[in-house]
Amino acid sequence: MKVFLHNKEEKEKEEMLKQQEIRADFDSKTITVYQAYNKKIALPAIKNNRFEAPFSFTRMTWIKPSYLWLMERSNWGTKSNQEYILGIKIKRDCWEKALAMGVLTDPDKTVYKSGLEWEEKFKQAKVHIQWDPERSLKGGKLQNRTIQVGISRFLIEEYNNDWIEEIVDVTPLTKKINQLLKEGKYKEAKRLIPKERVYNLPALIAKNIAIR
């Protein structure tokens, strides 16, 4: 019996380590993704709900539905050229379109029959999908993994012109939460974190991007 319980616990632990899911702030029409930029890019984007130069339309841009993941990456908006945190509300049908086109950044054996198949698809991909450890309020790595979506130069114009409904400046909120953390007020800080919940996808899309 003890051996059975041990094996069961190990299996559950293994499954937890593999867990990949999309958690996001969304409603019936839009999903919020996050990006961090400098003042020259962020302020016009907030004003016009669209990006413009010096935003680059010739290289891949990465969008992330996990607020805390971006907080760890940008150090709460204190890293150079990441001082402004933007919440970008994009249409859900466009989000799902991007995921349906997505190719993973690694040859996951549960998705691709061979490394060659993955390589061929990756070379032609207009959207890249990457899974990274989710982050806690204090920046620590969690067992579940969160998604990053890379929009290639072939889709950036469409992303900018057609997908975006609104660009919200969440920099003031970010600074407030960061200050609370510095003061050790974790409960107060946690209450202000954008509410994210599991975003379910059609089964085929979920399978193709290794949601499990």
Side-chain angles (χ1 to χ4, degrees):
M1 178 63 73
K2 289 183 179 180
V3 174
F4 173 78
L5 289 175
H6 175 74
N7 290 340
K8 181 179 180 182
E9 289 171 358
E10 287 296 315
K11 185 176 181 180
E12 289 176 348
K13 183 177 180 180
E14 182 179 356
E15 288 303 314
M16 286 182 70
L17 289 171
K18 290 181 178 179
Q19 187 174 7
Q20 298 178 167
E21 62 183 9
I22 298 173
R23 297 186 65 85
D25 180 6
F26 61 93
D27 57 29
S28 61
K29 296 182 179 179
T30 65
I31 178 173
T32 299
V33 295
Y34 299 97
Q35 293 185 291
Y37 288 108
N38 59 35
K39 182 177 181 179
K40 291 182 179 179
I41 293 177
L43 292 184
I46 295 165
K47 180 181 178 181
N48 302 315
N49 288 319
R50 293 292 182 275
F51 289 103
E52 58 186 56
F55 176 88
S56 176
F57 292 93
T58 59
R59 62 184 179 88
M60 183 167 287
T61 189
W62 290 86
I63 56 178
K64 309 99 180 169
S66 170
Y67 176 79
L68 287 178
W69 190 94
L70 185 58
M71 293 306 97
E72 190 280 332
R73 181 67 178 269
S74 68
N75 195 21
W76 295 90
T78 62
K79 287 186 178 179
S80 178
N81 288 319
Q82 298 184 51
E83 301 89 352
Y84 282 79
I85 306 299
L86 306 183
I88 303 158
K89 295 185 178 183
I90 63 175
K91 300 170 185 174
R92 285 182 57 174
D93 60 340
C94 295
W95 167 253
E96 294 185 16
K97 172 184 175 180
L99 298 183
M101 299 171 66
V103 175
L104 299 174
T105 55
D106 67 274
D108 191 309
K109 293 181 180 179
T110 67
V111 177
Y112 308 104
K113 296 178 181 178
S114 66
L116 180 60
E117 180 195 8
W118 167 78
E119 186 176 1
E120 291 176 349
K121 289 185 176 181
F122 189 73
K123 287 179 180 179
Q124 300 174 17
K126 294 183 179 180
V127 176
H128 290 176
I129 304 292
Q130 182 168 310
W131 292 97
D132 297 296
E134 181 60 281
R135 298 288 173 159
S136 70
L137 185 60
K138 296 181 181 180
K141 291 183 179 180
L142 300 179
Q143 290 180 325
N144 59 307
R145 301 175 75 83
T146 187
I147 199 169
Q148 280 195 76
V149 178
I151 308 299
S152 76
R153 66 184 186 276
F154 303 107
L155 277 180
I156 288 183
E157 292 282 357
E158 181 180 331
Y159 163 70
N160 192 48
N161 297 328
D162 300 332
W163 298 11
I164 297 173
E165 286 286 302
E166 184 181 9
I167 298 178
V168 180
D169 183 9
V170 292
T171 310
L173 173 66
T174 298
K175 290 182 177 179
K176 185 174 182 179
I177 296 172
N178 191 29
Q179 184 59 40
L180 289 170
L181 291 175
K182 289 178 179 179
E183 296 171 1
K185 299 177 180 178
Y186 297 107
K187 289 184 179 180
E188 292 90 336
K190 188 175 181 179
R191 292 192 193 103
L192 298 178
I193 298 296
K195 299 297 184 291
E196 297 170 3
R197 63 192 194 277
V198 175
Y199 186 105
N200 293 312
L201 288 166
L204 183 58
I205 299 177
K207 179 181 179 181
N208 287 343
I209 60 173
I211 285 181
R212 48 178 176 254

